[in-house]
């Protein structure tokens, strides 16, 4: 596996998702609170979404898995948009302006992942 030609920002992308995935296990209660109530098996969803983020974070650095990992990342970010909209409507503890900023940030992250599919 030759990862020497990856630009620094691909390593950054990988680290962001690996660390985010690890936090699903460090602070699962915080993540469980933001899972919309209409989604069943919220504990399992927190667990498996953490696993998915870690696997995707690793996958973007492995050339043979990179394209699949990037596509999975884009799909995951699109699915997570539902959580952001749910939080905007149902969360009182986080200031609305922060919740509003998360939505366009999600699209920036999607574009970032998509930009690697062009190579």
């Amino acid at each position: 596996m030759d990862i020497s030609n990856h630009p620094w920002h691909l390593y950054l992308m990988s680290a962001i998702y690996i660390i985010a995935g690890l936090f699903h296990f460090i602070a699962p209660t915080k993540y469980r609170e933001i899972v919309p109530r209409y989604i069943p098996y919220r504990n399992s969803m927190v667990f498996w979404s953490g696993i998915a983020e870690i696997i995707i974070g690793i996958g973007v650095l492995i050339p043979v898995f990179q394209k699949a990992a990037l596509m999975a990342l884009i799909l995951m970010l699109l699915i997570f948009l539902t959580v952001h909209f749910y939080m905007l409507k149902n969360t009182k503890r986080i200031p609305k302006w922060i919740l509003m900023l998360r939505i366009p940030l999600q699209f920036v992250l999607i574009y970032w992942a998509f930009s690697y599919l062009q190579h």
Side-chain angles (χ1 to χ4, degrees):
M1 172 174 76
D2 178 24
I3 60 173
S4 60
N5 359 340
H6 290 317
W8 66 268
H9 36 89
L10 191 60
Y11 291 108
L12 176 62
M13 176 187 284
S14 174
I16 287 170
Y17 292 103
I18 292 170
I19 291 167
L22 290 172
F23 270 96
H24 283 72
F25 304 102
I26 294 168
T29 304
K30 298 257 187 238
Y31 284 87
R32 191 172 40 254
E33 290 173 0
I34 67 171
V35 176
R37 301 251 181 251
Y38 57 82
I39 295 179
Y41 310 109
R42 292 169 52 204
N43 290 335
S44 294
M45 292 304 254
V46 170
F47 175 85
W48 289 111
S49 61
I51 294 290
E53 284 185 285
I54 293 167
I55 291 171
I56 289 169
I58 294 168
V60 299
L61 293 179
I62 303 171
V64 68
F65 297 121
Q66 187 176 56
K67 187 173 183 175
L70 290 165
M71 289 189 297
L73 176 56
I74 292 167
L75 179 61
M76 182 181 71
L77 290 169
L78 288 170
I79 291 168
F80 285 178
L81 268 175
T82 62
V83 172
H84 296 307
F85 284 113
Y86 176 83
M87 288 180 67
L88 187 59
K89 185 177 178 184
N90 296 295
T91 300
K92 305 280 188 265
R93 294 180 313 192
I94 302 171
K96 289 276 188 213
W97 68 270
I98 292 175
L99 297 173
M100 292 290 290
L101 284 177
R102 291 177 67 182
I103 294 169
L105 175 62
Q106 198 77 355
F107 287 104
V108 169
L109 294 173
I110 291 167
Y111 175 77
W112 188 19
F114 183 76
S115 69
Y116 285 106
L117 289 175
Q118 306 306 309
H119 295 114

